[in-house]
């Protein structure tokens, strides 16, 4: 699908797409009960915080998996479904881990943690998916370079559309 335009950049985005969808969709699909149930750690701060919800995790898994099903249908290769499940789980776990680290560093819910916010989820997604499908180091480098600006741009659009409370 990426033969002409872009080549490597197109293949990198195609590979990581389910992780992007799993990371972005909780902004719309999330809400309600927090994953940590409002519990706090001994440092007096939340485990993950109220920005990580069960509906966000379930919705992110579903949206990321649907992305993989569409990729599988478009290319007639069913392996994309398992890759999408792994990428979605990795992205959501990486995002949770990011919030855990932010809370330990005393950064409040919604506070900015440069690079961790933009790259944590994608690094974890690639790690978890890589035993099954590794896109190659060139693609990994491209993903690391394009994800932070893409993430910031998407968040800014979400903010302008009124679905996100902060522009970053
Ligand atoms: N969201 C959710 N469940 C998740 C991840 C995100 O419901 N597992 C929703 C929340 O409404 C969250 C929004 O998507 O506020 C934006 O996600 P994110 O930027 O990751 O969360 P923050 O609110 O910034 O919280 P944190 O500081 O913990 O990253
Ligand atoms: Mg945030």
């Amino acid at each position: 699908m990426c033969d002409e335009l872009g080549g490597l950049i197109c293949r990198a985005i195609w590979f990581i797409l389910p992780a992007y969808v799993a990371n972005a969709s909780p902004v719309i699909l999330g809400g309600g009960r927090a994953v940590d149930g409002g519990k706090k750690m001994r440092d007096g701060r939340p485990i993950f915080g109220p920005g990580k919800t069960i509906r966000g995790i379930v919705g992110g898994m579903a949206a990321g998996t649907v992305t993989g099903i569409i990729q599988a249908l478009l290319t007639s290769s069913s392996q994309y479904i398992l890759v999408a499940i792994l990428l979605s789980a990795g992205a959501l776990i990486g995002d949770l881990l990011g919030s855990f680290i932010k809370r330990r560093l005393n950064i409040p819910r919604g506070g900015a943690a440069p690079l961790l916010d933009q790259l944590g989820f994608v690094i974890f997604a690639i790690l978890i998916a890589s035993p099954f499908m590794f896109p190659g180091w060139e693609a990994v480098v491209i993903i690391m370079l394009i994800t932070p600006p893409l993430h910031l741009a998407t968040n800014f659009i979400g903010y302008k559309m009124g679905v996100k409370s902060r522009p970053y």
Side-chain angles (χ1 to χ4, degrees), residues 10-87:
C10 172
R11 281 204 299 279
I13 294 174
W14 173 263
F15 170 78
I16 204 66
L17 200 59
Y20 284 173
V21 172
N23 183 254
S25 51
V27 175
I28 294 158
L29 303 174
R33 193 182 158 80
V35 174
D36 63 14
K39 284 202 192 69
K40 293 192 162 124
M41 298 272 287
R42 251 187 280 180
D43 58 12
R45 297 190 283 269
I47 304 175
F48 304 117
K52 305 292 119 127
T53 68
I54 294 171
R55 245 171 49 204
I57 300 280
V58 174
M61 271 315 295
T65 304
V66 167
T67 306
I69 292 170
I70 295 169
Q71 287 179 313
L73 289 172
L74 287 174
T75 57
S76 307
S77 37
S78 58
Q79 57 174 349
Y80 281 113
I81 300 170
L82 178 59
V83 176
I85 291 170
L86 295 175
L87 286 171

Side-chain angles (χ1 to χ4, degrees), residues 23-24 26-31 35 48-57 92 95-96 98-100 102-103 107-111 117 151 155 164-166 168:
N23 183 254
V27 175
I28 294 158
L29 303 174
V35 174
F48 304 117
K52 305 292 119 127
T53 68
I54 294 171
R55 245 171 49 204
I57 300 280
L92 291 160
D95 184 53
L96 271 179
S99 290
F100 181 83
K102 283 166 74 173
R103 298 304 89 82
I107 301 169
R109 178 255 177 110
D117 280 337
H151 193 265
N155 283 354
K164 229 189 158 284
S165 57
R166 288 166 203 253
Y168 50 82

